[in-house]
Amino acid sequence: MSTESEPPKVQEEVDSSSQSISKKAAKKEAAKKAKEERRKEAEAAASAASALSIEEEGPLANNYGDVPLQELQSVNDPQTGKWSEAVSGREWTEVGALNGSLKDQEVLIRGRVHTTRPVGNKLAFVVVRERVSTVQCLATVKPDSVSKEMVRFVRSLSNESIVDVIGVVSVPDVEIKGATQQVEVQIKKLYCVSRAAKTPITIEDASRSEAEIEKASKEGVQLPRVNQDTRLNNRVIDIRTLANQGIFRIQSQVGNIFRQFLLSENFVEIHTPKLIAGSSEGGSAVFRLDYKGQSACLAQSPQLHKQMSICGDFGRVFETGPVFRAEDSYTHRHLCEFTGLDVEMEIKKHYSEVMDIVDCLFVTIFDSLNNVCKKELEAVAKQYPFEPLKYKPKTLRLTFEEGVQMLKDAGVEIDPLGDLNTESERKLGQLVLEKYGTEFYILHRYPLAVRPFYTMPCHDNSLYSNSFDVFIRGEEIISGAQRIHIPEFLAERAQACGIDVKTISTYIDSFRYGAPPHGGFGVGLERVVMLFCGLNNIRKTSLYPRDPLRIAP
């Protein structure tokens, strides 16, 4: 029976495989065809625009056109062409710096064509976007600067093309709703530096908030919704939206303040290897690979090496670098690769010294974001509305036992010696906000059984440890602890956690020559930004995210 039934099954598998290959080939061919069509569209647009400028003769023809490659090859000679002559010797003004104080002044700006809107054949509006700022520009027929052909040229510009505009700043009497800057630029000259083909997704669609989509739906209008995968598949377009520009500039500021603060506190920045012989955290969630015939893996954290650096008498160290976790986690807050902000320091007397650094560091980061990144936060909030983070000048600290008791009092069943699951963390965050009025707090003295092998047990109860987690809006962002600095005790704990001591022998040996008491913590940069901005998915704060299903672009 089984022998007879196998051939049809094999044939079905072959047929299924053939169909799958055919579908893939058809999909590949369709993508190739679409790419070729976009290329032809761009060439056609460029040819049409070029023809417009060729049609006109005389001095006004020099005020617009596509910039030829020769002029863009870093030639210093202003006589190379009309664009070179027009911009030579001028100062560039950022779009975000355009305001009423520049009224009646001539400026030179560069940006992308955000939108164009023709009004008859003598007037065209073009909104120019540079990073998180936009400005409305007007091309109006004038006998001394702007011809009808130039207006036609402006109308021909495709969205996302890069243009240079020379014009005079004016201040309208009414509010400009379609741009961030409340001034207009009266165009005198405009040159296209780079023509854009038709984009797979539009900036307008990618910038739309859920509230806008739902409101339109209630009014009977179906607006396009760009889903997460489509965004990530076209990331180079998606990150041009004002919200994404804001997100990653906020992320940059977090990294900047992290570094500045720690340097001011006498920390030394270090750079540790990401190829290691043994796992740095224990467990199976590691990316294993062959390293010249030896077994190796990608570092789950710089934990071992930053501790070794403390033993090397650096006193206080920090690092910003990639962290790899081979977990099959398909959640809104997990990635297989993320940016770790890691800190390690000597402890003079008590592990609360590490929590003191966490407290001051993050209050400084939050204050800085609120003061320096106002425009970026507004851009994010416009597409992804959120309430500003509630935090105190002096960060609240609770013991794990106190947190468990709060949950029990609220009717939540919890293992007093187990870890908190996601639901329990969120519930505790809600209880803390209601009782203490803060969304940022530290929970310390975690059960030893749920912490890494190198965590120091509490002196008064070996079931607990000198460790802590830090939470924003009910989600964990930081894990930290005092480390074990006694080599024999460290080896004992490693074995108890199932780690082959031979694979971390170099690490353990580094404590045999005198090691100071020390501790530290690790922070996920993407998670900090996600929670500070109240976003619902960590992929929004990872520039090119890597999760179990994505390794491109």
Side-chain angles (χ1 to χ4, degrees):
M1 289 289 289
S2 61
T3 306
E4 291 176 0
S5 63
E6 282 179 6
K9 184 178 180 181
V10 171
Q11 185 59 49
E12 287 174 9
E13 290 175 352
V14 171
D15 291 343
S16 175
S17 178
S18 298
Q19 290 174 7
S20 177
I21 292 171
S22 297
K23 287 180 180 179
K24 287 181 180 178
K27 190 175 182 180
K28 187 175 181 181
E29 185 61 29
K32 185 178 179 181
K33 187 176 180 181
K35 185 177 181 180
E36 180 64 18
E37 287 176 356
R38 288 197 297 269
R39 185 186 65 78
K40 289 180 179 179
E41 286 175 2
E43 288 179 352
S47 298
S50 181
L52 285 173
S53 59
I54 291 171
E55 285 177 14
E56 184 174 10
E57 296 180 357
L60 297 189
N62 291 328
N63 293 346
Y64 65 97
D66 289 275
V67 183
L69 175 62
Q70 181 185 1
E71 292 189 65
L72 298 171
Q73 292 179 294
S74 299
V75 180
N76 289 323
D77 184 2
Q79 303 302 315
T80 306
K82 56 186 178 182
W83 169 80
S84 299
E85 186 176 352
V87 302
S88 180
R90 290 179 179 269
E91 291 292 327
W92 297 84
T93 301
E94 292 194 354
V95 169
L98 296 174
N99 55 48
S101 67
L102 297 174
K103 183 180 178 181
D104 297 329
Q105 293 186 35
E106 193 170 276
V107 294
L108 167 62
I109 62 173
R110 172 174 289 178
R112 291 188 181 275
V113 175
H114 192 57
T115 58
T116 56
R117 181 166 61 89
V119 182
N121 59 2
K122 293 185 178 181
L123 172 64
F125 290 89
V126 54
V127 174
V128 174
R129 185 185 78 248
E130 185 182 33
R131 296 185 280 277
V132 297
S133 304
T134 53
V135 65
Q136 183 167 273
C137 304
L138 286 76
T140 308
V141 171
K142 295 177 182 176
D144 60 338
S145 58
V146 180
S147 63
K148 284 185 180 181
E149 286 75 13
M150 181 172 171
V151 173
R152 286 172 59 198
F153 177 81
V154 172
R155 291 168 58 179
S156 77
L157 294 169
S158 56
N159 287 354
E160 297 307 296
S161 294
I162 297 173
V163 295
D164 287 346
V165 176
I166 295 173
V168 177
V169 177
S170 63
V171 181
D173 297 327
V174 295
E175 179 187 358
I176 302 174
K177 295 183 178 180
T180 62
Q181 307 310 114
Q182 294 304 301
V183 297
E184 292 179 328
V185 175
Q186 306 295 326
I187 298 174
K188 296 180 70 174
K189 298 181 180 183
L190 185 148
Y191 305 97
C192 184
V193 176
S194 177
R195 286 254 173 192
K198 185 178 179 181
T199 55
I201 57 175
T202 69
I203 298 299
E204 183 181 11
D205 289 344
S207 301
R208 197 171 284 122
S209 69
E210 281 297 314
E212 290 177 274
I213 294 172
E214 290 172 9
K215 181 182 177 182
S217 180
K218 290 177 181 178
E219 296 171 352
V221 179
Q222 295 299 315
L223 294 175
R225 176 186 276 109
V226 184
N227 65 39
Q228 189 72 58
D229 279 341
T230 301
R231 290 178 181 278
L232 296 180
N233 290 339
N234 300 280
R235 195 59 159 162
V236 71
I237 307 298
D238 182 50
I239 56 178
R240 295 178 189 177
T241 66
L242 299 187
N244 279 329
Q245 286 289 309
I247 286 170
F248 293 107
R249 291 172 194 284
I250 290 167
Q251 187 181 94
S252 174
Q253 183 67 1
V254 172
N256 183 34
I257 298 304
F258 176 79
R259 178 176 283 106
Q260 286 183 9
F261 176 88
L262 293 173
L263 289 173
S264 72
E265 294 289 329
N266 296 319
F267 281 78
V268 177
E269 184 170 14
I270 60 173
H271 305 283
T272 62
K274 305 309 164 196
L275 285 170
I276 61 175
S279 63
S280 45
E281 296 285 347
S284 59
V286 294
F287 288 103
R288 301 190 183 280
L289 52 89
D290 176 77
Y291 185 74
K292 302 295 185 181
Q294 301 179 61
S295 177
C297 59
L298 296 176
Q300 294 163 294
S301 82
Q303 184 58 50
L304 312 185
H305 290 95
K306 65 179 182 176
Q307 283 187 257
M308 291 168 70
S309 299
I310 294 299
C311 293
D313 286 351
F314 282 102
R316 294 181 158 196
V317 299
F318 74 94
E319 178 176 15
T320 300
V323 174
F324 302 92
R325 302 285 169 88
E327 298 172 303
D328 289 327
S329 298
Y330 301 87
T331 74
H332 74 285
R333 64 176 188 169
H334 287 96
L335 292 170
C336 290
E337 179 184 352
F338 62 89
T339 303
L341 308 177
D342 278 271
V343 172
E344 203 72 19
M345 57 184 278
E346 287 187 16
I347 292 173
K348 299 299 184 185
K349 186 171 178 60
H350 196 277
Y351 81 99
S352 61
E353 296 164 29
V354 183
M355 291 189 283
D356 292 341
I357 290 292
V358 171
D359 181 355
C360 294
L361 169 62
F362 277 86
V363 169
T364 300
I365 288 173
F366 298 155
D367 286 346
S368 174
L369 293 180
N370 287 327
N371 292 328
V372 177
C373 298
K374 291 179 180 178
K375 196 167 187 176
E376 289 80 4
L377 289 168
E378 288 173 4
V380 176
K382 185 175 181 180
Q383 183 168 358
Y384 305 111
F386 69 95
E387 290 294 321
L389 180 70
K390 296 180 178 66
Y391 63 97
K392 293 181 175 296
K394 182 66 178 176
T395 303
L396 172 70
R397 298 180 194 182
L398 299 171
T399 65
F400 186 85
E401 291 171 285
E402 288 173 330
V404 167
Q405 190 59 52
M406 288 179 69
L407 287 168
K408 285 184 176 179
D409 292 343
V412 179
E413 291 295 325
I414 193 80
D415 179 359
L417 294 177
D419 207 353
L420 298 181
N421 59 30
T422 302
E423 292 74 20
S424 298
E425 288 179 352
R426 287 176 179 165
K427 182 62 178 177
L428 184 57
Q430 177 188 333
L431 295 172
V432 168
L433 176 60
E434 291 171 358
K435 185 174 181 178
Y436 298 101
T438 181
E439 295 175 292
F440 179 70
Y441 69 97
I442 299 173
L443 194 66
H444 66 109
R445 280 180 63 102
Y446 266 72
L448 182 65
V450 301
R451 305 305 282 198
F453 74 93
Y454 46 75
T455 306
M456 180 70 79
C458 286
H459 73 283
D460 57 343
N461 190 338
S462 60
L463 292 176
Y464 291 90
S465 61
N466 293 348
S467 63
F468 60 89
D469 278 359
V470 183
F471 297 85
I472 296 180
R473 301 188 197 268
E475 293 196 36
E476 177 255 317
I477 60 159
I478 299 173
S479 285
Q482 179 179 356
R483 324 301 187 184
I484 295 173
H485 62 284
I486 308 300
E488 294 78 16
F489 190 19
L490 193 59
E492 179 185 322
R493 286 290 303 145
Q495 286 178 325
C497 292
I499 295 174
D500 184 356
V501 177
K502 292 179 181 178
T503 65
I504 56 171
S505 59
T506 305
Y507 165 65
I508 293 176
D509 287 345
S510 65
F511 298 98
R512 299 189 189 282
Y513 311 107
H518 60 279
F521 58 91
V523 189
L525 174 61
E526 292 85 352
R527 196 175 289 187
V528 172
V529 178
M530 176 185 79
L531 294 171
F532 184 84
C533 294
L535 298 169
N536 63 3
N537 197 305
I538 199 167
R539 290 156 188 79
K540 286 185 171 69
T541 57
S542 177
L543 194 58
Y544 303 104
R546 296 291 178 260
D547 61 30
L549 298 175
R550 180 173 292 278
I551 198 169

